[in-house]
Amino acid sequence: MSPKALDYESINEKVKKVQYAVRGELYLRASELQKEGKKIIFTNVGNPHALGQKPLSFPRQVVALCQAPFLLDDPNVGLIFPADAIAKAKHYLSLTSGGLGAYSDSRGIPGVRKEVAEFIKRRDGYPSDPELIFLTDGASKGVQQILNTIIRGEGDGVLVPVPQYPLYSATIALFGGSLIPYYLEETENWGLNVNNLSQAVTQARYKGIAVRAMVIINPGNPTGQCLSEANLRQILRFCFQENLVLLGDEVYQQNIYQDERPFISAKKVLMDMGPPISREVQLVSFHTVSKGYWGECGQRGGYFEMTNIPPKTVDEIYKVASISLSPNVPAQILMGLMVNPPKPGDISYEQFIRESKGILESLRRRARLMTDGFNNCRNVVCNFTEGAMYSFPQLRLPPRAIEAAKKDGKVPDVFYCLKLLEATGISTVPGSGFGQKEGVFHLRTTILPAEEDMPEIMVQFQKVQ
Amino acid sequence: MSPKALDYESINEKVKKVQYAVRGELYLRASELQKEGKKIIFTNVGNPHALGQKPLSFPRQVVALCQAPFLLDDPNVGLIFPADAIAKAKHYLSLTSGGLGAYSDSRGIPGVRKEVAEFIKRRDGYPSDPELIFLTDGASKGVQQILNTIIRGEGDGVLVPVPQYPLYSATIALFGGSLIPYYLEETENWGLNVNNLSQAVTQARYKGIAVRAMVIINPGNPTGQCLSEANLRQILRFCFQENLVLLGDEVYQQNIYQDERPFISAKKVLMDMGPPISREVQLVSFHTVSKGYWGECGQRGGYFEMTNIPPKTVDEIYKVASISLSPNVPAQILMGLMVNPPKPGDISYEQFIRESKGILESLRRRARLMTDGFNNCRNVVCNFTEGAMYSFPQLRLPPRAIEAAKKDGKVPDVFYCLKLLEATGISTVPGSGFGQKEGVFHLRTTILPAEEDMPEIMVQFQKVQ
């Protein structure tokens, strides 16, 4: 009998080509060990609540009330919910057409998109149009939808930073496009050198690839750097000159651990540059409820904002979004709450600030603890985590270790991370999963383990050398 | 300057080819009219809560508590939540690793998948393996993922019933495959005739298309028929003979409005048939929290179960699912609650049964009211809605109306539905959005308007003739 359509040898080859190391060999092995009873510290994915971070109380109160709207009329509701949470729940329910159980518009609830637009305006100082904001089930889904719109086939290239978060390489592989890597400079604190960009484009064109878009991840994942305004200007100018759509992955915009370089959005810099660039460069920016001090990964909420995208294309993106009917509604409300949090004077304001500041300050301390810890290891060098949720130390593996890995048929950093996992229960991702220069090895770990566990974790890292 | 990557003329052609009438021209026009202040009755999409259906109390209490886990320790929680909801919330939180804010495994929470497997076993009388069940953000996402795994290019065909729910045509277009229509027999109550299937396959092969899979929608959407066991056997035998993967869209399995033909799952019939068929036919079955008496569309929860799919392919599907990290966790818990509802003796049992029975019995009455109403219209004939949530009457449009439509450059049923919308505010979907035989016209409306509004709605339909 000939192979069936879902036999391995006969499925879509693009599916097979996808690689996604964040949940790859290391994660699978860690899951096995966990099943066998070993204590595993999952630092492979930026999943704060899984490592003990508590959800912010106010947004959870509001979403809980939206899930149980019958409580809003209960005379006892005020005993366990604050009045401003009750008011907010009523506000968001009034924006839906049928509560959390009804599909929303496929772009998301209009009232929430308006709140997102107001947030962007406050952040950047430029108007934002709710009609050009689509809510999504997490930022990843938005990135996938935009790449699907751009990529027509393997002749289409997308510039992606290396090291990169493998959402990009995986999605480009799945849609059959070509990933054009541009290297970040580790010795310059993972800075983006525009000369590398030009080179990458030239090489790709030489191979006959039409370079159509460029991805930036700011703050960087896995690299943790924050782009300067000057750098963003260079990037936007480059996109203008080369006629590239810019995809701005800005999901870590709240995760900043130094004061010298605050987050600046690509949209703001684009608008600051004025015409013709501000009117010509096509930009799609992504955000999420999964990161920041929210860390609401499991809720799957995000948005993207489109700038300079023609209405007919927006209609096409809307049409494709509508096949999935709507993003999940509870996370849309969380997104509304994220962009429109409690204000001074609100009953829940003090608590909200206390909780969010507590998380952010602890992350800042952990970024420092981890970087210092790695730099105290023999044969490890590590740039400071300026932003995001990761540390990406370089491992100077001794020739002996590289030899042993080869014997085992493994990439050396995979071999190292497996060894680390078996010895310590720490589940990281090898640098090869993100891309790195030939002959150089890294690992990525989140900075998310509890602060009190951090010293012991760094001791564990130091042991496996 | 050459077109930019997101200019309409240069985006992915497959995106442009997608059609999705459920939220197409009619829906867009209805949304406009609503903005202008007109009262619109949205019957274009099976979205029960948007038309006033109340959520079931118990599952919402549980999910609300999971959203606000800090309430579980509040001494007042028992004043507004029943003890069994509190216990269930603790149960589901214990199955997560970090509550609703943490990504789950990309296949969904293992404990919930176990509950789904137990439900399937109770339903079918055959074991079900949790490792072959993936939770998804609604059934649509699961269908998309499986079709993406099957379709390699335009030489790959998928048999789809006509009329069909356009998720299938849209997704096949987006992935660049070929839709092979097989016609359901309107005069035989939308029955599935296996001769039509053979013909469709023969014709497709003649065109050089490799037919790889077949879709059934049972109960039917938009057609409302329930497949008999004999019919399901024929289909499975056909899939065996023709080496086709069967995709069983069974999202309406709770929506049955007649007693003669209960829902029978494709999985049960497959297992009943015994080897070699039961061991050979590859089957993927889809379910959701959006339909039934739950109607939790906005929450986006679903699952698919794989039968006879080799482990290596399951691994590939898992890998691709992991790019999106995880389905949203709140809806995973709703899925758990759906497959494992309150039991006799539980505090909330009586209320749960009262609420769910109330909804289902009302849907049954509305199915009857609507079918009878249409059959009382001049120039309309309508099969009884045996299941699902739709009525799909045939409109015998007079030549004058067809002429007028042509003059307006519109498909006649689109023209009719627009007229209906403008005159009555009822937003339906033209039959051409689902496919129909040449020269025959339909519309699809949900049976979801409130029971007390139904007589008036049918009067409105009768007027626009």
Side-chain angles (χ1 to χ4, degrees):
Chain A
M1 204 162 177
S2 58
K4 306 183 190 80
L6 283 172
D7 285 350
Y8 181 76
E9 57 268 46
S10 95
I11 63 173
N12 183 358
E13 286 295 329
K14 290 176 198 153
V15 163
K16 293 188 203 170
K17 274 190 197 143
V18 165
Q19 294 195 336
Y20 190 71
V22 170
R23 294 210 162 179
E25 180 177 0
L26 261 290
Y27 170 75
L28 296 174
R29 177 69 188 135
S31 302
E32 269 176 36
L33 287 171
Q34 192 183 36
K35 264 196 185 164
E36 293 167 12
K38 191 176 172 83
K39 195 193 159 205
I40 303 294
I41 303 167
F42 284 101
T43 69
N44 58 302
V45 54
N47 195 7
H49 293 209
L51 292 178
Q53 184 178 308
K54 292 270 168 295
L56 299 168
S57 304
F58 181 75
R60 287 297 195 92
Q61 287 165 335
V62 175
V63 177
L65 285 165
C66 291
Q67 284 284 11
F70 37 80
L71 290 185
L72 295 170
D73 304 322
D74 191 307
N76 288 322
V77 68
L79 293 176
I80 56 174
F81 288 98
D84 55 350
I86 296 169
K88 269 282 184 192
K90 287 181 180 166
H91 162 71
Y92 283 110
L93 285 174
S94 78
L95 298 181
T96 68
S97 23
L100 303 195
Y103 295 126
S104 70
D105 187 280
S106 306
R107 297 165 297 185
I109 299 166
V112 173
R113 286 153 53 216
K114 200 163 149 264
E115 293 183 357
V116 172
E118 287 158 2
F119 154 76
I120 294 172
K121 191 182 167 190
R122 281 196 308 277
R123 185 193 66 188
D124 294 342
Y126 293 99
S128 167
D129 181 354
E131 298 293 302
L132 300 176
I133 292 164
F134 283 27
L135 304 184
T136 52
D137 287 309
S140 303
K141 288 288 180 200
V143 168
Q144 289 168 40
Q145 219 203 317
I146 297 300
L147 286 173
N148 194 17
T149 312
I150 291 173
I151 296 171
R152 300 164 300 185
E154 57 180 339
D156 283 349
V158 180
L159 278 165
V160 174
V162 172
Q164 54 113 23
Y165 173 52
L167 164 66
Y168 296 96
S169 49
T171 305
I172 292 166
L174 191 60
F175 296 146
S178 291
L179 185 149
I180 317 294
Y182 66 89
Y183 285 88
L184 302 176
E185 295 294 345
E186 185 162 16
T187 52
E188 293 164 31
N189 215 20
W190 296 115
L192 192 164
N193 183 330
V194 179
N195 294 333
N196 292 355
L197 283 177
S198 299
Q199 263 181 30
V201 168
T202 308
Q203 281 174 15
R205 292 206 174 126
Y206 183 76
K207 290 183 201 159
I209 290 169
V211 185
R212 283 164 66 81
M214 170 175 175
V215 173
I216 53 171
I217 310 175
N218 180 35
N221 175 4
T223 42
Q225 84 288 7
C226 296
L227 294 176
S228 68
E229 189 176 350
N231 215 177
L232 282 162
R233 282 177 177 264
Q234 290 178 308
I235 293 163
L236 284 159
R237 191 171 303 280
F238 179 78
C239 288
F240 176 68
Q241 285 160 350
E242 303 292 343
N243 205 15
L244 304 177
V245 177
L246 184 64
L247 306 189
D249 179 337
E250 301 178 334
V251 298
Y252 296 101
Q253 59 188 268
Q254 288 181 329
N255 298 96
I256 306 291
Y257 311 124
Q258 35 75 38
D259 300 316
E260 308 82 79
R261 193 177 287 169
F263 169 76
I264 309 172
S265 76
K267 168 93 180 291
K268 176 177 165 39
V269 177
L270 177 63
M271 291 297 116
D272 283 348
M273 289 174 86
I277 293 187
S278 64
R279 289 196 193 140
E280 291 290 340
V281 173
Q282 298 184 329
L283 169 68
V284 187
S285 308
F286 302 89
H287 200 7
T288 185
V289 300
S290 302
K291 308 301 173 187
Y293 38 86
W294 290 66
E296 292 280 11
C297 300
Q299 311 263 5
R300 311 311 295 120
Y303 76 75
F304 59 85
E305 185 198 21
M306 296 172 279
T307 307
N308 296 324
I309 314 295
K312 277 183 80 175
T313 299
V314 175
D315 288 348
E316 293 295 308
I317 296 171
Y318 184 13
K319 181 183 71 182
V320 172
S322 72
I323 307 174
S324 306
L325 293 155
S326 79
N328 87 77
V329 176
Q332 295 186 41
I333 288 170
L334 274 176
M335 179 55 85
L337 289 158
M338 186 177 99
V339 297
N340 194 13
K343 290 180 184 50
D346 291 353
I347 301 164
S348 299
Y349 178 74
E350 298 293 342
Q351 187 187 7
F352 182 82
I353 293 297
R354 195 169 57 245
E355 290 175 354
S356 50
K357 255 189 141 173
I359 292 166
L360 208 52
E361 284 171 3
S362 167
L363 282 172
R364 184 184 277 239
R365 288 191 296 270
R366 283 180 271 173
R368 176 51 69 195
L369 278 170
M370 202 157 226
T371 310
D372 290 351
F374 279 125
N375 284 320
N376 283 335
C377 291
R378 262 185 312 133
N379 299 323
V380 175
V381 280
C382 185
N383 283 319
F384 176 60
T385 299
E386 298 177 345
M389 290 185 171
Y390 311 98
S391 185
F392 196 65
Q394 187 184 134
L395 314 167
R396 300 215 166 122
L397 299 178
R400 216 168 30 115
I402 295 174
E403 240 356 270
K406 273 189 191 154
K407 257 191 203 152
D408 211 38
K410 300 237 181 269
V411 179
D413 55 9
V414 174
F415 184 79
Y416 174 87
C417 290
L418 281 168
K419 211 171 80 174
L420 180 74
L421 172 67
E422 305 277 346
T424 67
I426 304 174
S427 167
T428 58
V429 186
S432 47
F434 305 91
Q436 53 200 353
K437 286 188 177 161
E438 185 73 29
V440 181
F441 304 106
H442 298 82
L443 65 80
R444 187 188 84 165
T445 167
T446 67
I447 59 166
L448 296 174
E451 214 171 327
E452 60 270 27
D453 298 340
M454 204 55 105
E456 175 56 23
I457 286 176
M458 297 321 296
V459 167
Q460 298 287 332
F461 271 116
Q462 283 167 21
K463 268 196 219 158
V464 185
Q465 286 288 313
Chain B
M1 205 161 175
S2 58
K4 304 182 190 83
L6 283 172
D7 285 350
Y8 180 76
E9 58 268 44
S10 96
I11 64 173
N12 183 357
E13 286 296 327
K14 291 176 197 153
V15 163
K16 293 188 202 169
K17 273 190 197 144
V18 165
Q19 294 194 339
Y20 191 71
V22 171
R23 295 212 161 176
E25 180 177 359
L26 262 291
Y27 169 75
L28 295 174
R29 178 69 187 135
S31 301
E32 269 176 38
L33 287 171
Q34 191 184 37
K35 263 196 187 165
E36 292 166 14
K38 190 176 174 82
K39 196 195 158 202
I40 302 293
I41 303 167
F42 283 102
T43 70
N44 58 302
V45 55
N47 195 7
H49 293 210
L51 292 177
Q53 183 179 309
K54 293 269 168 294
L56 299 168
S57 304
F58 181 75
R60 288 297 195 93
Q61 288 165 335
V62 175
V63 177
L65 285 166
C66 290
Q67 284 285 10
F70 36 81
L71 290 184
L72 295 170
D73 303 323
D74 191 305
N76 288 323
V77 69
L79 293 176
I80 56 176
F81 288 97
D84 55 350
I86 296 169
K88 269 283 185 192
K90 287 180 181 168
H91 162 72
Y92 282 111
L93 286 174
S94 78
L95 298 181
T96 68
S97 22
L100 303 194
Y103 295 125
S104 70
D105 187 281
S106 306
R107 298 165 296 185
I109 299 165
V112 173
R113 286 154 53 214
K114 200 164 148 263
E115 292 183 358
V116 171
E118 286 158 3
F119 154 76
I120 294 172
K121 191 182 168 190
R122 282 195 308 276
R123 185 193 66 189
D124 295 342
Y126 292 100
S128 167
D129 180 354
E131 298 294 301
L132 300 176
I133 292 165
F134 282 28
L135 305 183
T136 53
D137 287 308
S140 301
K141 288 287 180 198
V143 169
Q144 289 167 42
Q145 219 204 318
I146 297 300
L147 285 173
N148 192 17
T149 312
I150 292 174
I151 297 171
R152 300 163 302 185
E154 58 180 338
D156 282 349
V158 180
L159 279 166
V160 175
V162 171
Q164 55 114 22
Y165 173 52
L167 164 65
Y168 296 96
S169 49
T171 305
I172 292 166
L174 191 60
F175 296 146
S178 292
L179 185 148
I180 316 295
Y182 65 91
Y183 285 88
L184 301 176
E185 295 294 345
E186 185 162 16
T187 52
E188 293 165 31
N189 215 20
W190 296 116
L192 192 163
N193 183 331
V194 179
N195 295 333
N196 293 354
L197 282 177
S198 298
Q199 264 181 30
V201 168
T202 308
Q203 281 173 16
R205 293 206 174 127
Y206 184 75
K207 290 184 199 157
I209 291 170
V211 185
R212 284 164 67 78
M214 169 175 177
V215 173
I216 54 171
I217 311 177
N218 180 35
N221 174 5
T223 42
Q225 84 289 6
C226 296
L227 294 176
S228 68
E229 188 176 349
N231 215 176
L232 281 163
R233 281 175 178 266
Q234 290 178 308
I235 292 163
L236 284 159
R237 191 171 303 279
F238 179 79
C239 288
F240 176 67
Q241 285 160 351
E242 302 293 342
N243 205 15
L244 304 177
V245 177
L246 184 63
L247 306 190
D249 179 338
E250 302 178 333
V251 298
Y252 296 101
Q253 60 189 267
Q254 288 181 329
N255 298 97
I256 306 291
Y257 311 124
Q258 35 76 39
D259 301 317
E260 308 82 80
R261 194 175 286 168
F263 167 76
I264 309 172
S265 76
K267 167 93 180 288
K268 176 177 164 39
V269 178
L270 177 62
M271 291 298 116
D272 282 348
M273 291 174 85
I277 295 188
S278 64
R279 291 198 191 138
E280 290 291 340
V281 173
Q282 297 184 329
L283 168 68
V284 187
S285 309
F286 302 89
H287 201 6
T288 184
V289 300
S290 302
K291 309 301 172 187
Y293 39 85
W294 290 66
E296 293 279 12
C297 301
Q299 311 263 7
R300 313 311 295 119
Y303 76 75
F304 59 85
E305 185 198 20
M306 296 172 278
T307 307
N308 296 325
I309 313 296
K312 276 183 82 177
T313 299
V314 175
D315 288 348
E316 293 295 307
I317 295 171
Y318 183 14
K319 180 183 70 182
V320 171
S322 72
I323 306 174
S324 305
L325 293 156
S326 80
N328 87 78
V329 176
Q332 295 186 42
I333 288 170
L334 274 175
M335 179 55 85
L337 289 158
M338 185 176 100
V339 296
N340 194 13
K343 290 180 184 51
D346 291 353
I347 299 164
S348 298
Y349 177 73
E350 298 293 343
Q351 186 186 6
F352 182 82
I353 293 296
R354 195 168 60 246
E355 289 176 354
S356 50
K357 254 189 142 172
I359 292 165
L360 208 53
E361 284 170 3
S362 168
L363 282 172
R364 184 183 278 238
R365 288 191 297 271
R366 283 180 271 173
R368 176 52 68 195
L369 278 169
M370 202 156 226
T371 309
D372 291 349
F374 279 125
N375 284 321
N376 285 335
C377 291
R378 264 184 312 133
N379 299 323
V380 176
V381 281
C382 186
N383 282 319
F384 176 61
T385 299
E386 298 177 341
M389 291 185 170
Y390 311 98
S391 185
F392 197 64
Q394 187 184 135
L395 314 168
R396 299 215 165 122
L397 299 178
R400 215 167 31 112
I402 295 174
E403 243 352 274
K406 273 190 188 153
K407 258 191 201 151
D408 211 39
K410 300 237 182 268
V411 179
D413 55 8
V414 174
F415 185 78
Y416 174 87
C417 290
L418 281 168
K419 213 172 78 173
L420 179 75
L421 172 67
E422 306 278 346
T424 66
I426 303 174
S427 167
T428 58
V429 186
S432 47
F434 305 90
Q436 53 200 354
K437 284 186 178 162
E438 186 72 29
V440 182
F441 304 107
H442 297 81
L443 65 78
R444 187 190 80 165
T445 168
T446 67
I447 58 165
L448 298 175
E451 214 171 326
E452 59 270 27
D453 298 340
M454 205 54 106
E456 175 55 22
I457 285 176
M458 297 320 296
V459 168
Q460 298 287 333
F461 271 117
Q462 283 167 19
K463 268 198 220 156
V464 185
Q465 283 291 310

